Amino acid sequence: MGFTMGLNLLLLLAMVATNILSLYHLSSTLQTPKNPPTTAPLVPDHLIQQLHTIRATINQLTRLQPTATATTTTTRSTTPSDLLLHSRLSPIASSCHNHADLLHKYMTYTPYSLCPPDSDSIAESLILRGCHPLPRRRCFSRTPPKPTSSLPHNPFPSSLPDQNVLWFNKNYSCNSFNCLIRSNPKLGFDPSREIDRFTSYTNELDLPIPQLFQIAKSANSALRLGLDMGGGTGTFAATMKLHNVTVITTTMNLGAPYNEAVALRGLVPLHVPLQQRLPVFDGVLDLVRCGHAVNRWIPATALEFLLYDVDRVLRSGGYLWLDHFFCKSVDLDKVYGPLIGKLGYKKVKWATGSKADSKHGEVYLTALLQKPGSK
């Protein structure tokens, strides 16, 4: 709208200038002798040049305006009609337009029947490409055929039930939790082994939860609500639940059913990527923890937006916990340290340590930062 108004204003100015020049030329002609000269009066060169400039400007502006309209028309005509329908029925991210084929595959289903078996893997691919939120559909989500009804209330059960997860038609490397545990015990799918993960202290990089509560108590700051970004199977949220603290976990199903594992522990998973704006209102959280998923492989600019989004959801006096942030030592001094410092938070804890098998000077950073009052 602003572009069109600017073009109209320039056209008006050009027309006014043309009329003024015409009046000037007419007045000059009227002042000449009444007897018509044998040759036509010469128009000054500078007036001819100005007229040519104005005409060229008018032609250029006239060409610009239809081009903008034509571009809009072309864009609308080349956009699939069903994609426009989805965007009208429910909000979808602009990145979805860049992956129309994949989105079309996701939206190809039979209404009022079961959703296609590969829906979850397609949705994961779209979300990771920035197509989030996804459009709503009118199909029934698939559920396990024989799920167990006796779900544990203890967030650290002895095992997680396989029958409550759809293992097939997924991009999973295993078809059971035992298989995942055998392939990599550190993935967190054995809750009984995770119970001491956030309560023990081995080096300066660790921040045991009892110490975290002690810090908050000494600062007269309550810990009631929290968010764990990239929290895997939800072990941090499970440990905080034992202390009557509600923590929601953002996680993705990258090669394994992380969201299902979080839910089976009686916790709340959020299936959102790191690049998405946090679906939390401003200034309501007491604590945000960034785990291993938040590291140097995130571009610095994207990481900066992430940190400022964390600042948005934290209340005054709330805590940001960077847990084992991984990067090169030189990058910590020149890039990430100054980037974190822009927040202006109080450094409650700032500990670094070299990675054991480091070949390029990689280090870990554990930082607990407290958000100040209104600036």
Side-chain angles (χ1 to χ4, degrees):
M1 181 176 178
F3 179 74
T4 305
M5 291 181 63
L7 287 177
N8 292 334
L9 181 59
L10 286 175
L11 285 169
L12 179 61
L13 292 176
M15 292 174 64
V16 171
T18 304
N19 291 334
I20 292 174
L21 287 172
S22 299
L23 289 173
Y24 175 77
H25 174 60
L26 180 60
S27 62
S28 301
T29 306
L30 291 174
Q31 293 175 2
T32 57
K34 293 184 179 180
N35 295 328
T38 55
T39 59
L42 296 177
V43 180
D45 292 338
H46 67 281
L47 291 180
I48 295 177
Q49 186 175 0
Q50 290 178 10
L51 284 171
H52 286 325
T53 303
I54 292 173
R55 288 169 182 164
T57 304
I58 292 174
N59 292 334
Q60 177 67 16
L61 294 175
T62 306
R63 284 195 300 269
L64 278 176
Q65 196 163 3
T67 302
T69 306
T71 303
T72 305
T73 305
T74 303
T75 303
R76 291 177 180 174
S77 63
T78 57
T79 304
S81 58
D82 55 347
L83 183 59
L84 293 176
L85 176 64
H86 306 328
S87 63
R88 293 191 189 104
L89 292 176
S90 62
I92 62 175
S94 60
S95 296
C96 296
H97 295 267
N98 299 328
H99 306 282
D101 293 340
L102 194 59
L103 182 62
H104 177 73
K105 185 177 180 180
Y106 175 76
M107 294 302 296
T108 301
Y109 65 96
T110 303
Y112 314 114
S113 62
L114 284 176
C115 297
D118 58 350
S119 292
D120 292 343
S121 59
I122 297 175
E124 190 96 2
S125 299
L126 284 167
I127 291 172
L128 291 174
R129 287 167 170 81
C131 179
H132 193 273
L134 290 169
R136 290 173 173 172
R137 301 187 298 181
R138 294 172 296 168
C139 61
F140 297 101
S141 62
R142 294 176 178 268
T143 57
K146 296 180 180 180
T148 178
S149 57
S150 58
L151 297 174
H153 291 276
N154 179 11
F156 290 96
S158 58
S159 62
L160 298 176
D162 291 331
Q163 59 268 37
N164 287 63
V165 177
L166 288 171
W167 295 95
F168 301 100
N169 297 312
K170 303 292 182 69
N171 295 323
Y172 299 159
S173 57
C174 290
N175 57 6
S176 69
F177 285 116
N178 284 332
C179 173
L180 291 171
I181 295 170
R182 288 193 303 269
S183 62
N184 189 350
K186 295 182 179 180
L187 291 178
F189 289 101
D190 186 357
S192 61
R193 298 182 183 179
E194 297 280 299
I195 194 166
D196 296 328
R197 179 178 169 188
F198 289 99
T199 57
S200 59
Y201 180 90
T202 56
N203 54 56
E204 281 294 319
L205 293 172
D206 295 328
L207 179 58
I209 286 181
Q211 183 183 359
L212 174 64
F213 278 103
Q214 184 178 359
I215 291 172
K217 183 178 179 181
S218 62
N220 197 24
S221 180
L223 294 179
R224 307 157 298 122
L225 300 172
L227 174 70
D228 190 15
M229 298 188 65
T233 59
T235 297
F236 176 70
T239 308
M240 296 297 281
K241 183 179 181 180
L242 300 179
H243 297 270
N244 296 320
V245 178
T246 301
V247 174
I248 53 180
T249 303
T250 70
T251 188
M252 299 292 291
N253 281 16
L254 296 175
Y258 287 96
N259 281 272
E260 292 92 326
V262 173
L264 288 173
R265 302 174 75 172
L267 307 169
V268 180
L270 288 180
H271 189 217
V272 296
L274 293 175
Q275 67 266 30
Q276 184 199 333
R277 183 180 187 268
L278 295 172
V280 181
F281 194 71
D282 298 4
V284 296
L285 296 183
D286 305 313
L287 172 68
V288 175
R289 173 184 172 269
C290 298
H292 288 292
V294 181
N295 269 298
R296 66 180 178 91
W297 48 71
I298 300 177
T301 302
L303 180 61
E304 185 175 21
F305 275 97
L306 183 150
L307 292 177
Y308 275 90
D309 197 30
V310 170
D311 175 80
R312 177 185 62 81
V313 300
L314 277 177
R315 65 168 176 82
S316 176
Y319 293 95
L320 166 60
W321 179 7
L322 295 172
D323 191 5
H324 286 72
F325 181 88
F326 172 73
C327 65
K328 293 182 179 180
S329 178
V330 62
D331 292 336
L332 179 61
D333 296 334
K334 295 183 178 180
V335 180
Y336 301 112
L339 190 151
I340 297 169
K342 289 180 181 180
L343 295 175
Y345 283 18
K346 177 184 177 182
K347 291 184 179 180
V348 181
K349 179 182 178 71
W350 187 277
T352 59
S354 300
K355 188 182 177 188
D357 56 348
S358 174
K359 296 181 180 179
H360 305 285
E362 294 93 350
V363 296
Y364 286 113
L365 165 68
T366 292
L368 183 66
L369 311 167
Q370 187 175 26
K371 181 177 178 176
S374 299
K375 298 179 180 178

